[in-house]
Structures are given as C-alpha cells and as structure tokens.
Amino acid sequence: MKSEPESRIENGFDVKFSIDDLIRCENGTDCWDGVRNYQARNFMKSMKTGHKAFFYHSNCKNPGIAGIMMVTKEAYPDHTQFDSTQLHYDSKSQPANPKWFMVNVRFERKLIRFISLKELKKYHLDHKETGGPLRDLFLFTMSRLSVQPLTEEQWNFILSLENKTVEE
C-alpha cells in the first residue's frame, strides 16, 4: 500500500503520511482512506483482518518499502467521500450507495533495511527474463495503483531482501 512520506499540498491539504506518522497514531493504527481508483479499491475490499501489507513510500526522492502493517478492520465506507471539507470528497457518492472504501491498518514493524524502488526494479527486470517471482509485480505492471496485491511467493521474496546487502 502506497503513501507519500514528504509534504505535498493538494487542494489546500498536506497529503503527507509516512510510516512514522502511522507509528505515532493511537496504537499505531489508522484508517487507510482516500483510495480513488476502482481497481485499487477492489483490491482493498478483498483484504481480510490479519492480512499483512508492505508500507510503501511513494512520490518522494527515494521511493520504496519502509515496513509492514496489518489489516485490523476489513473494508468499510470511506467517510471522507461524504464530507465536502475533505480532500477526497466525492459529490457523486451517497451514504446509501458508497463508491469508496477503506480499511484500518496497524503498524507491525519497519523493515531491517529500506528496500528501494530501484532495487525492486532490478529484480523485476531480471525476473522477467528468468521467470522469478517479481516478473509480474503490479508495482511495475500497474504502477499507478496505490493498493496492489502480492502473491505469497512475491511477498516472501521481497521480505527476504531485507536481510541481503544491497548490490549497486
């Protein structure tokens, strides 16, 4: 799941939310609101309590995976779609038939080391040639999505990278 760790003002709102911001939330838990892409929404709606997700820093100087969080509440209507004072307000969405959903997530841990987009791309390109687990990674095939599924094989491979030395 992607979020922006650096300040960026959009329609008068600072959209910054880093893994450190999640840690500072009460019990390290917050709602993951503001998803406004139908495919990303559908992926999020399929998430179940106890599912783990990578916290990915996006739209910053050094994008990549910073840590792990766990879904603590399954998809429910995103309240920001109904509030005209909110950045993610959607005048076409109605409480009786909401278009947008969110989940609650809880900080689990930071990775032993940050796994950069550059490193992931290197493995992705290699795996496209060799048939490795990152060959079809949504991060590169559907990069605009803020919520993306991973196979168990992809999850395990990416997680194993935190214990490896970065090859330049």
Side-chain angles (χ1 to χ4, degrees), residues 4-30:
E4 299 183 20
E6 298 172 359
S7 285
R8 182 175 65 84
I9 305 302
E10 185 177 314
N11 297 327
F13 292 89
D14 190 348
V15 296
K16 175 192 177 294
F17 192 77
S18 70
I19 195 164
D20 292 324
D21 293 313
L22 180 59
I23 291 168
R24 285 190 290 273
C25 291
E26 185 176 341
N27 299 318
T29 302
D30 202 7

Side-chain angles (χ1 to χ4, degrees), residues 93-111:
S93 188
Q94 301 300 316
N97 188 23
K99 290 176 22 178
W100 307 112
F101 291 80
M102 61 186 177
V103 296
N104 286 3
V105 294
R106 183 182 67 229
F107 170 78
E108 286 287 302
R109 68 179 180 87
K110 287 187 175 182
L111 294 185

Side-chain angles (χ1 to χ4, degrees), residues 128-144:
K128 278 177 64 174
E129 297 293 321
T130 63
L134 301 191
R135 68 188 169 279
D136 296 321
L137 189 64
F138 272 87
L139 183 59
F140 300 106
T141 62
M142 303 287 285
S143 63
R144 298 293 301 160

Side-chain angles (χ1 to χ4, degrees), residues 35 37-46 98-101:
V35 173
N37 173 286
Y38 289 106
Q39 190 171 14
R41 176 208 61 191
N42 292 342
F43 288 144
M44 190 166 51
K45 284 177 75 174
S46 72
K99 290 176 22 178
W100 307 112
F101 291 80

Side-chain angles (χ1 to χ4, degrees), residues 8 10 38 51 65 81 94 110 115-116 119 126 146:
R8 182 175 65 84
E10 185 177 314
Y38 289 106
H51 280 179
I65 300 171
Q81 68 192 306
Q94 301 300 316
K110 287 187 175 182
I115 301 172
S116 72
E119 181 180 357
D126 181 55
S146 61

